[in-house]
Amino acid sequence: MRIGYPCINTSLKNPNSSTFRLKSYSEKRFNETVKNNLDHLLRILHFNKKNNIFFFRLSSDIIPFASHQICQLNWKKKFETELNEIGNFILKNNMRVSMHPDQFVILNSSNEKVVENSIKELDYHSNLLQNMNLLNDAKIQIHVGGVYGDKNASKNKFINRYTKIHECLKSRLVIENDDRSYSLKDCLDINKETGIPIVFDVFHHECLNDYEFFKDALTSFSKTWNYSSDGNPIVDYSSQSIGDRRGKHAKTLDYTHFVFYYKELERFSSEKSVDFDIMLEIKDKEYSVIRTLNLIKFGS
DNA sequence: AGTTGTCAAGCTAGT
DNA sequence: ACTAGCTTGACAACT
């Protein structure tokens, strides 16, 4: 079971800008920023290795404006060396990475322009992972999208759009249950039609579920993964930030809450011979991962 | 140096 | 009607 964190490492300082405004776009700025981001990513991966962290979510901002018209540079070619080096490091160390495109990626949107932009953005994510020569276990996770007042119609829209995307992207794309619109059960309905694997977010599942037993949820979601090609089923973990609005992530690890889920996963794992990878969506990032690794190793 | 308004992109629920 | 929140605040202009 690998445990990881998303996008940012709070221990390492990034001395340069990681992105810029569209207004500030220039080839020079672009090249400097991408170079800096890739160098920094490699530093994070080294940090992770040193701390026995083998799962990490790559920021979508590594190549700024990659899917925007303004970006006409062949960054895959220009940064081939860096991309290869990062990919080799990940593969050599049996690491896994994933990505989570932001909220503007809506495959089931009723606006064709939004869909078009979404596919461009997904292509960028797919190209980035592809150019690092990563395995198909490097997933791109998105939410199902909007409801638009008719969930069934919107689910079907997702299914139709998904069937039309190209195989390379398909081999990486996965959906995640969200906390307000599409529950695990909704995702399973979509999986039945498409075969798309499901990332199971346990916190979202607390917020929105269909009263299923937790064990049944684990069984059904893990079955959507073809372990040999997709890798271990991914679980997203976070907990409620106390006193804040429902769905807001906690700033630091809720020890008891995490242990409950970890033990459930561990038990399921040994019974069914399924291994999971857990993504900790906690504001203090690698610090919480290191705490959980110590907890598992030393039991305290 | 520190503060603050704004940033490519969508959608939902809460106020 | 407006805003917080979302996987992650951070850039850039201003004081």
Side-chain angles (χ1 to χ4, degrees):
Chain A
M1 196 140 38
R2 289 176 283 203
I3 301 181
Y5 62 100
C7 306
I8 292 170
N9 178 297
T10 65
S11 305
L12 296 170
K13 276 285 149 254
N14 189 359
N16 304 311
S17 295
S18 56
T19 186
F20 51 84
R21 296 293 156 81
L22 182 56
K23 240 182 6 188
S24 319
Y25 188 95
S26 70
E27 268 191 33
K28 184 169 175 286
R29 186 78 191 264
F30 176 86
N31 285 331
E32 284 170 3
T33 306
V34 172
K35 177 79 171 100
N36 177 47
N37 287 346
L38 293 174
D39 290 349
H40 188 63
L41 172 57
L42 195 56
R43 282 200 297 278
I44 293 178
L45 294 172
H46 277 280
F47 173 98
N48 288 353
K49 185 186 176 186
K50 215 170 136 188
N51 289 280
N52 297 310
I53 300 172
F54 297 98
F55 191 23
F56 184 65
R57 182 184 295 163
L58 306 186
S59 163
S60 295
D61 287 334
I62 291 174
I63 318 284
F65 303 102
S67 71
H68 191 280
Q69 222 183 3
I70 202 168
C71 179
Q72 297 295 332
L73 259 113
N74 189 351
W75 53 266
K76 299 163 212 164
K77 187 82 196 149
K78 173 130 189 122
F79 296 100
E80 196 179 9
T81 313
E82 288 85 351
L83 293 168
N84 279 330
E85 192 182 358
I86 290 165
N88 287 340
F89 188 83
I90 291 166
L91 292 173
K92 196 180 76 192
N93 291 293
N94 191 27
M95 288 181 165
R96 184 185 205 179
V97 297
S98 64
M99 297 188 81
H100 194 332
D102 65 27
Q103 60 269 37
F104 314 109
V105 173
I106 312 282
L107 266 193
N108 75 348
S109 176
S110 41
N111 179 343
E112 284 300 330
K113 188 72 195 165
V114 172
V115 179
E116 197 185 302
N117 288 343
S118 296
I119 289 175
K120 275 188 197 156
E121 180 71 358
L122 288 172
D123 280 338
Y124 148 61
H125 283 77
S126 164
N127 282 329
L128 183 63
L129 299 170
Q130 212 63 26
N131 280 272
M132 291 176 180
N133 310 308
L134 298 177
L135 307 173
N136 284 339
D137 72 339
K139 294 301 186 191
I140 302 166
Q141 72 187 75
I142 58 172
H143 294 293
V144 178
V147 175
Y148 310 100
D150 185 343
K151 198 190 267 187
N152 264 331
S154 298
K155 273 186 201 169
N156 285 329
K157 215 160 208 173
F158 182 96
I159 292 162
N160 285 330
R161 295 260 164 67
Y162 175 83
T163 54
K164 286 179 194 140
I165 64 175
H166 56 84
E167 289 304 317
C168 187
L169 175 55
K170 237 182 223 174
S171 69
R172 297 196 185 278
L173 200 63
V174 298
I175 48 173
E176 174 195 349
N177 60 307
D178 66 74
D179 58 340
R180 282 160 197 273
S181 305
Y182 291 94
S183 66
L184 173 64
K185 185 177 172 300
D186 293 320
C187 292
L188 287 166
D189 290 342
I190 292 169
N191 164 270
K192 205 184 283 175
E193 300 300 320
T194 58
I196 190 170
I198 298 167
V199 170
F200 183 43
D201 187 310
V202 296
F203 178 46
H204 289 166
H205 189 68
E206 281 179 19
C207 298
L208 179 70
N209 59 66
D210 298 274
Y211 306 103
E212 56 270 73
F213 289 115
F214 188 67
K215 197 178 168 187
D216 293 338
L218 288 182
T219 304
S220 55
F221 117 82
S222 56
K223 272 186 186 160
T224 66
W225 293 72
N226 178 346
Y227 309 142
S228 60
S229 58
D230 293 325
N232 294 343
I234 297 175
V235 175
D236 278 4
Y237 170 85
S238 56
S239 63
Q240 176 67 42
S241 177
I242 307 299
D244 276 308
R245 49 186 275 166
R246 185 178 68 91
K248 185 168 165 129
H249 292 183
K251 289 179 185 64
T252 190
L253 191 76
D254 181 335
Y255 190 86
T256 316
H257 188 263
F258 175 78
V259 168
F260 168 78
Y261 280 112
Y262 183 76
K263 291 218 182 297
E264 288 285 329
L265 291 170
E266 209 179 28
R267 186 180 330 138
F268 189 89
S269 226
S270 59
E271 277 172 20
K272 310 273 180 171
S273 343
V274 187
D275 201 6
F276 297 106
D277 290 329
I278 308 176
M279 179 58 65
L280 291 194
E281 295 178 338
I282 311 280
K283 301 286 181 197
D284 62 13
K285 308 292 177 183
E286 78 284 356
Y287 178 75
S288 278
V289 177
I290 292 168
R291 273 184 74 193
T292 64
L293 293 176
N294 283 332
L295 165 74
I296 292 158
K297 194 170 170 189
F298 304 112
S300 63

